């Protein structure tokens, strides 16, 4: 027999052989004791001979009509397998869909295969157990499969739908079992059970529950729980048992016997590994990393490290968000403001109904209007507080109607709630007893923000600073900022203190007698002060010694000012004794 | 004679009822009245206070910044007395130079005042109008330089529709011209300026005083008064009679304060 260019599909040959291996009566073919490790370049490998088990696998992989006859195979001395012993392992492997594992489950309707077009040819991507029993399998040309089996049920593969289903499953997992769930394309899910397994009675019980759940959905599941995503991935697909619980730290040992594809290597890395005679993951362990990276690529080494837990592999979780949205497709394109407003009203009604069902309120939404020419116009708006008041939302949208350019007409409109918050009913409290509740400002705030922009609305709150211009800060509209200490403060503050000239004042702590500001002379009749404010040395080195002495003064005409002098009048480093106008009391 | 009197009485009673209904309607159009609590002031106002659903204009007596601050505090004091705890005042303006700690000292704490900064006067007026129509606010204050008759009429209508008082603070555009000379639909128009405070018997600045001038009012006469500035709840006060007061320090003693 010719030696194949690539080693036969190695995965399940020995790891999970369903049939008991026959006693080998050909000792000359292999110099290595059975079950022991082998080295690349061993004599039996060099000779080009295959182990009988591999040969039988290869024969099994062939379609029924291509299998060699007994005469070609030669006389073999192994006993026939017991028919009933073969059943359970076959069923176990059936869900995996590996080639060459004919499941004995006949008489269940027509055999079915899924095909996908790759370039010019149609290739079978999956086959049902019946089809597998007839020798059809993934990788086969569709025409070939049709020729082999006349009443074959051929369907198009839908990888996108498969992916969507997996994503829904991941979403379900994220909502019910663990916050970190992700799709392991193309056929698996990753669930991070850290800190969540105990909620379901431990890992074993959780796995049983998961298997039952998927059974109800019509799936055959294989589960592995391991310390690293790589190990779990490998054990779930190539392990022996449908449910594998791997103790922490045993990844390297558990993976050693698995075939290389379990490591999620790239196809060319696998080809290279086959050329070097590397078959199992354990073969890579003793190899020096440098040459290994050169021959199989750095990615392969990384995969190996990830599977053994030497390199981190974070799971990117799916975020369980389903945004509420409403959509209207229009029979006739609309272009007038009235028609657009009508559609907006319908969309808002739909969205409010959806939000009502979910018990949520809208915080931000985007309206998308698709024009006839395919251009999408987007209008976004936000609300100050979660709301599902249809009239309010319609008013907010109507304010922005002028921003939509309908062009030749709008043929579809979608309203999507980008941000939602829980909105539960509020207890009325003492309202029934006749007490008034404070009016809700949120709708008004939304309207004003829609007119002047969101930055235009603010409150002023306190900052813990004694320097007057730093003591105020803008705060959110619906917040309740704290107030200030009761030191006398002016009602209007100059944005920048203005220097006074011709100041006559007694040092160190008397208000000025007279000064000139903005070209006008003022004579002071009364004054209060000083209120000494020190510089904030933790902000800048210049303020280390700086001092401002603030005075409240009243000029002759009744004008009341807030002045300050730089420096305390004693120590020169505190300031240069210049005077400034800073604010006006009424 | 009794028959004659009954004949003349009957139409008179109907007329009276019609007049009463008319008065009730007019009263209904007006909001709750906010009295100043000062007999000298309230007695001269046609509504015995400020109409709670009307437009009131306030301007500084001169373009000086101190008069401007006095007028601002006058408006802030009215707004503070209108704003019950939990309700808010909208203060719309174009240039933000208010100092919030100073407003808190006449009773407009940071949780009672909501600022809206517009890009120009027309936007400020639009914001104020929207705030008035909503009716959720205790009071709306808008600072503008220019507001013509149409704008003030709109504000007055919006105020009576939303039953929210509106204080239009008119800033000086030029040095000489008072902004209150232009025609307006306001119910009252006030002009506020600083006045020298009563001297204290010890060094220090006493409670501020303002010259409060009611330039125009609907259904009443103008007048002017000198009042003491807002306290920490926004209430004005009448100056104490000179006779009740300690003798004022004179000359050098006063200046030494």
């Amino acid at each position: 027999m010719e030696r194949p260019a690539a080693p036969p599909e190695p995965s399940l040959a020995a790891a999970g052989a369903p049939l008991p291996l026959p006693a080998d009566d050909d000792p000359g073919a292999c110099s290595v004791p059975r079950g022991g490790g082998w080295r690349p370049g061993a004599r039996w490998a060099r000779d080009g001979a295959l182990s009988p088990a591999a040969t039988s696998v290869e024969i099994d992989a062939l379609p029924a009509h291509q299998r060699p006859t007994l005469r070609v195979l030669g006389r073999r001395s192994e006993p026939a397998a017991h028919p009933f012993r073969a059943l359970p392992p076959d069923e176990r492997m059936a869900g995996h869909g590996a080639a060459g594992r004919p499941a004995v489950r006949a008489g269940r309707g027509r055999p079915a295969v899924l095909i996908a077009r790759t370039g010019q040819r149609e290739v079978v991507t999956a086959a049902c157990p019946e089809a597998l029993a007839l020798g059809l399998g993934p990788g086969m040309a569709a025409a070939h499969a049709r020729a082999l089996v006349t009443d074959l049920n051929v369907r198009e593969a839908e990888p996108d739908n498969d992916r969507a289903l997996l994503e829904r499953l991941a979403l379900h997992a994220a909502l019910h079992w663990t916050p970190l769930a992700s799709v392991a394309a193309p056929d698996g899910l990753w669930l991070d059970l850290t800190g969540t397994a105990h909620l379901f009675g431990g890992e074993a019980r959780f796995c049983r529950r998961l298997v039952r759940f998927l059974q109800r959905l019509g799936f055959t599941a294989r589960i592995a729980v391991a310390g690293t995503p790589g190990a779990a991935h490998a054990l779930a697909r190539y392990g022996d048992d449908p449910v594998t619980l791997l103790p922490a730290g045993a990844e390297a040992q558990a993976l050693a016997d698995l075939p290389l594809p379990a490591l999620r290597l790239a196809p060319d890395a696998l080809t290279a590994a086959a050329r070097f005679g590397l078959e199992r993951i354990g073969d890579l362990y003793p190899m020096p990393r440098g040459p290994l990276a050169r021959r199989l690529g750095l990615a392969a080494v990384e995969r190996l490290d990830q599977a053994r837990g030497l390199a981190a592999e974070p799971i990117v979780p799916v975020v369980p968000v389903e945004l509420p949205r409403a959509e209207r497709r229009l029979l006739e394109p609309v272009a007038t403001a009235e028609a657009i407003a009508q559609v907006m009203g319908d969309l808002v009604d739909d969205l409010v109904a959806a939000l009502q069902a979910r018990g949520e309120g809208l915080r931000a939404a985007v309206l998308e209007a698709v024009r006839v020419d395919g251009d999408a116009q987007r209008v976004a708006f936000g609300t100050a507080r979660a709301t599902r008041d249809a009239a309010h939302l319609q008013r907010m949208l109507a304010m922005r109607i002028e921003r939509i350019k309908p062009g030749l007409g709008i043929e579809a409109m979608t309203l999507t709630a980008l941000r939602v918050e829980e909105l539960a009913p509020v207890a009325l409290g003492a309202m029934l007893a006749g007490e008034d509740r404070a009016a809700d400002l949120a709708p008004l705030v939304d309207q004003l923000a829609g007119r002047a922009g969101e930055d235009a609305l603010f409150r002023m709150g306190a900052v813990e600073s004694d320097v007057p211009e730093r003591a105020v800060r803008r705060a959110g509209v619906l917040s309740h900022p704290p107030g200030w200490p009761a030191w006398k403060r002016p009602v209007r503050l100059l944005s920048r203190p203005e220097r006074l000239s011709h100041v006559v004042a007694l040092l160190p702590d008397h208000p000025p007698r007279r000064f000139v500001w903005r070209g006008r002379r003022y004579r002071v009749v009364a004054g209060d002060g000083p209120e000494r404010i020190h510089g904030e040395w933790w902000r800048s080195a210049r303020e280390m010694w700086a001092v401002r002495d603030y005075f409240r003064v009243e000029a002759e005409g009744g004008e009341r000012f807030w002045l300050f002098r730089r420096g305390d009048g004693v120590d020169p480093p505190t300031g240069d004794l210049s005077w400034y106008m800073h604010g006006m009391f009424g | 004679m009794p028959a004659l009197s009954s004949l003349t009485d009957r139409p008179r009673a109907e007329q009276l009822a019609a007049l009463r209904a008319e008065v009730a309607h007019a009263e209904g159009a007006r909001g709750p009245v906010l009295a100043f609590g000062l007999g000298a002031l309230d007695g001269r106002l046609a509504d015995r206070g400020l109409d709670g659903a009307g437009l009131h204009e306030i301007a500084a007596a001169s373009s000086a910044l101190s008069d401007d601050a006095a007028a601002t505090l006058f408006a802030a004091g009215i707004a503070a007395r209108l704003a019950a705890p939990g309700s808010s005042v909208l203060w719309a303006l174009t240039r933000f130079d208010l100092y919030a700690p100073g407003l808190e000292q006449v009773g407009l704490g940071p949780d009672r005042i909501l600022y809206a900064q517009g890009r120009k006067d027309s936007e400020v007026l639009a914001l104020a109008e929207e705030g008035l129509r909503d009716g959720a606010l205790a009071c709306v204050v808008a600072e503008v330089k220019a507001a013509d008759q149409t704008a003030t009429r709109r504000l007055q209508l919006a105020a009576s529709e939303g039953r929210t008082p509106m204080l239009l603070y008119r800033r000086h555009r030029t040095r000489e011209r008072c902004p209150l000379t232009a025609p307006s639909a306001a119910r009252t128009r006030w002009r506020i300026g600083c006045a020298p405070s009563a001297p204290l018997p010890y060094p220090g600045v006493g409670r501020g005083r303002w010259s409060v001038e009611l330039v125009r009012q609907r259904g009443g006469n103008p007048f002017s008064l000198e009042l003491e500035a807002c306290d920490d709840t926004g209430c004005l006060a009448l100056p104490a009679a000179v006779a009740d007061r300690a003798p004022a320090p004179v000359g050098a003693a006063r200046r030494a304060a």
Side-chain angles (χ1 to χ4, degrees), chain A residues 41-86:
Chain A
R43 183 158 60 84
W44 66 270
R46 216 173 33 233
D47 287 349
L50 281 169
S51 72
T55 315
S56 73
V57 166
E58 202 185 16
I59 292 168
D60 283 350
L62 293 172
H65 68 282
Q66 286 184 344
R67 284 184 194 151
T69 57
L70 268 184
R71 196 172 61 78
V72 177
L73 278 172
R75 185 175 161 276
R76 308 190 65 180
S77 63
E78 64 257 37
H82 194 283
F84 296 115
R85 275 185 71 187

Side-chain angles (χ1 to χ4, degrees), chain A residues 399 438-441 444-445 447-448 451-452 456-461 467-469 471-472 474 477 480-494 510-511 513 517-518 523-528 552-554 556-561 584-586, chain B residues 64-66 68-70 72-73 86-88 90-91 95-105 110-119 123 126-127 130-131 134-137 143 169 171 194-197 203-210 254-257:
Chain A
M399 281 172 72
D440 187 13
L441 276 185
L444 172 68
V445 165
Q447 280 185 52
L448 295 181
R451 186 177 287 278
L457 283 177
F458 54 94
R459 284 183 195 267
M460 278 298 189
V467 180
E469 54 266 44
V472 293
R474 291 192 179 195
V477 177
H480 295 282
W484 294 268
W487 299 103
K488 276 286 180 191
R489 288 290 179 265
V491 67
R492 291 209 189 254
L493 199 71
L494 297 175
H510 284 268
R513 289 283 180 79
W517 175 57
R518 289 191 178 180
R523 206 166 70 81
V524 174
V525 296
D528 259 340
R552 195 157 64 99
V553 301
E554 182 177 325
E556 224 170 14
E559 302 97 339
R560 282 165 284 271
F561 295 117
M584 274 68 60
F585 297 95
Chain B
L65 282 177
S66 48
D68 179 69
T72 308
L73 277 182
S87 62
S88 279
L90 177 74
W91 199 299
R95 191 166 58 89
F96 189 84
D97 60 351
L98 291 170
Y99 193 51
L103 287 177
E104 194 190 12
Q105 285 167 10
D111 53 342
R112 291 201 197 173
I113 184 162
L114 170 68
Y115 302 95
Q117 193 167 8
R119 282 174 286 266
E123 194 173 277
L127 286 173
E130 204 142 337
D134 187 75
L137 295 164
E143 283 183 21
Y169 179 79
R171 304 194 86 152
C194 285
S197 63
V205 179
R207 184 171 174 178
R209 279 201 185 174
W210 298 332
R254 187 175 176 205
R255 253 177 267 126

Side-chain angles (χ1 to χ4, degrees), chain A residues 135-213:
Chain A
L136 312 181
M140 183 183 275
H144 189 185
R146 280 202 181 97
L148 289 180
V149 182
T150 46
D151 70 337
L152 190 60
N153 188 4
V154 181
R155 303 261 184 90
E156 286 279 342
E158 294 167 332
D160 291 344
N161 287 358
D162 293 349
R163 170 88 195 182
L165 186 70
L166 273 178
E167 264 164 6
R168 275 185 60 195
L169 272 179
L171 207 63
H172 180 88
L175 288 172
H176 291 84
W177 301 320
T178 165
L180 289 177
S182 143
V183 174
D187 56 353
L189 289 180
W190 266 319
L191 310 181
D192 189 352
L193 292 184
T194 313
T196 56
H198 72 275
L199 300 173
F200 307 98
E203 288 172 353
R205 285 189 64 177
F206 176 68
C207 289
R208 283 203 296 279
R209 182 176 164 171
L210 200 56
V211 168
R212 275 203 304 278
F213 171 79

Side-chain angles (χ1 to χ4, degrees), chain B residues 150-193:
Chain B
T150 318
T152 53
R153 180 92 191 117
R154 284 187 70 114
L155 286 179
Q156 168 63 40
L157 285 175
S160 61
E161 185 186 306
R163 304 186 71 72
T164 308
M166 168 81 207
L167 303 178
L168 187 65
Y169 179 79
R170 308 201 55 167
R171 304 194 86 152
H172 280 256
R173 299 175 80 174
T174 57
R175 196 169 279 269
E176 303 85 29
R177 192 149 169 256
C178 175
L180 295 186
T181 51
S184 155
R187 300 192 86 91
T188 57
R189 312 181 78 182
W190 301 83
R191 191 183 291 151
I192 315 293

